[in-house]
Amino acid sequence: DTGVSQNPRHKITKRGQNVTFRCDPISEHNRLYWYRQTLGQGPEFLTYFQNEAQLEKSRLLSDRFSAERPKGSFSTLEIQRTEQGDSAMYLCASSFTGGGNTIYFGEGSWLTVV
Amino acid sequence: QKEVEQDPGPLSVPEGAIVSLNCTYSNSAFQYFMWYRQYSRKGPELLMYTYSSGNKEDGRFTAQVDKSSKYISLFIRDSQPSDSATYLCAMNYGGSQGNLIFGKGTKLSVKP
């Protein structure tokens, strides 16, 4: 499978705990994106990387959220001190410059904060 | 006013019908327009991608962009029960701008 891979697919955590999601993009893609999607809404942009550089962050990315892409390959999204409002699907996507802005999504990581 | 408006439906049609899905947007700077299909509890799957105004056809799917009206459409011909999903429109400015702006999605059900 050469698509965008996300792990874990589902996570249930208690309020106040930290969680981390991992994304492996399509291998030749140098851009990597994180989005969040809640029920009945379209995905909302959180942040994006070109290679290892984090080029853009949304206002949705509060200081409890941190994303990294240390070697320009896989990425992690960490949420500290989770709140019930963090319950959502976290989507990773990737593309490559020169690919005409075609962005491909993974299957998502579902987070439930109880 | 949200940047991208999309009627959430639900939309129910009989098998074989032509389906029309639409989005309007407010920012004339958008240059790239996409349609994604999303099955329940799955990630969005890229269906169609269009740059600027015009039509693009791919099998049973046709995407239209009218930048003068800030209006985009997706048509599905000979709809099938397997087309039942949520359809999301998305757009961005292009260039170094990384993020997509999505509509809420329209939930489509095609009845056999």
Side-chain angles (χ1 to χ4, degrees):
Chain A
D1 185 8
T2 56
V4 178
S5 176
Q6 293 190 244
N7 288 289
R9 292 292 318 281
H10 300 91
K11 179 75 176 177
I12 300 174
T13 191
K14 291 184 178 179
R15 190 174 51 189
Q17 298 293 304
N18 299 344
V19 297
T20 299
F21 299 110
R22 176 180 169 126
C23 172
D24 289 89
I26 294 170
S27 58
E28 63 270 25
H29 286 185
N30 61 338
R31 288 184 171 180
L32 186 148
Y33 312 81
W34 285 100
Y35 286 77
R36 181 175 73 183
Q37 187 177 24
T38 54
L39 283 175
Q41 302 296 318
E44 295 174 294
F45 171 77
L46 292 177
T47 188
Y48 106 92
F49 294 83
Q50 180 158 309
N51 301 312
E52 63 275 10
Q54 190 172 18
L55 295 188
E56 192 175 345
K57 291 196 286 188
S58 160
R59 288 171 296 173
L60 292 176
L61 208 69
S62 76
D63 57 5
R64 295 186 298 107
F65 289 68
S66 63
E68 294 183 346
R69 194 182 184 200
K71 296 182 180 179
S73 56
F74 74 92
S75 175
T76 57
L77 176 69
E78 182 184 18
I79 309 173
Q80 296 182 325
R81 305 182 303 281
T82 52
E83 302 173 355
Q84 286 189 320
D86 297 330
S87 296
M89 180 163 68
Y90 290 85
L91 289 160
C92 179
S94 70
S95 70
F96 69 95
T97 49
N101 281 283
T102 47
I103 298 172
Y104 298 92
F105 284 83
E107 295 285 30
S109 292
W110 281 94
L111 173 65
T112 302
V113 181
V114 297
Chain B
Q1 181 190 11
K2 289 199 71 172
E3 280 193 287
V4 180
E5 299 278 1
Q6 184 176 11
D7 186 339
L11 180 63
S12 182
V13 302
E15 183 176 354
I18 297 174
V19 176
S20 172
L21 304 165
N22 311 292
C23 288
T24 59
Y25 62 95
S26 56
N27 193 331
S28 58
F30 287 134
Q31 296 285 342
Y32 295 86
F33 304 90
M34 299 89 174
W35 286 94
Y36 286 84
R37 178 174 62 195
Q38 187 172 31
Y39 293 111
S40 181
R41 301 185 72 83
K42 299 287 189 181
E45 171 194 6
L46 181 63
L47 273 181
M48 299 288 286
Y49 161 82
T50 311
Y51 171 67
S52 197
S53 285
N55 292 2
K56 185 173 183 178
E57 189 173 321
D58 184 2
R60 296 185 296 111
F61 299 91
T62 300
Q64 286 186 350
V65 174
D66 181 349
K67 290 192 74 181
S68 62
S69 302
K70 300 191 185 72
Y71 189 87
I72 69 171
S73 301
L74 177 71
F75 297 95
I76 308 173
R77 290 182 298 281
D78 187 25
S79 56
Q80 303 294 310
S82 59
D83 295 328
S84 299
T86 296
Y87 290 79
L88 297 154
C89 64
M91 50 200 76
N92 71 2
Y93 309 106
S96 61
Q97 186 76 20
N99 57 311
L100 292 174
I101 312 299
F102 280 87
K104 281 189 173 185
T106 299
K107 187 168 185 178
L108 172 67
S109 178
V110 181
K111 304 293 187 185

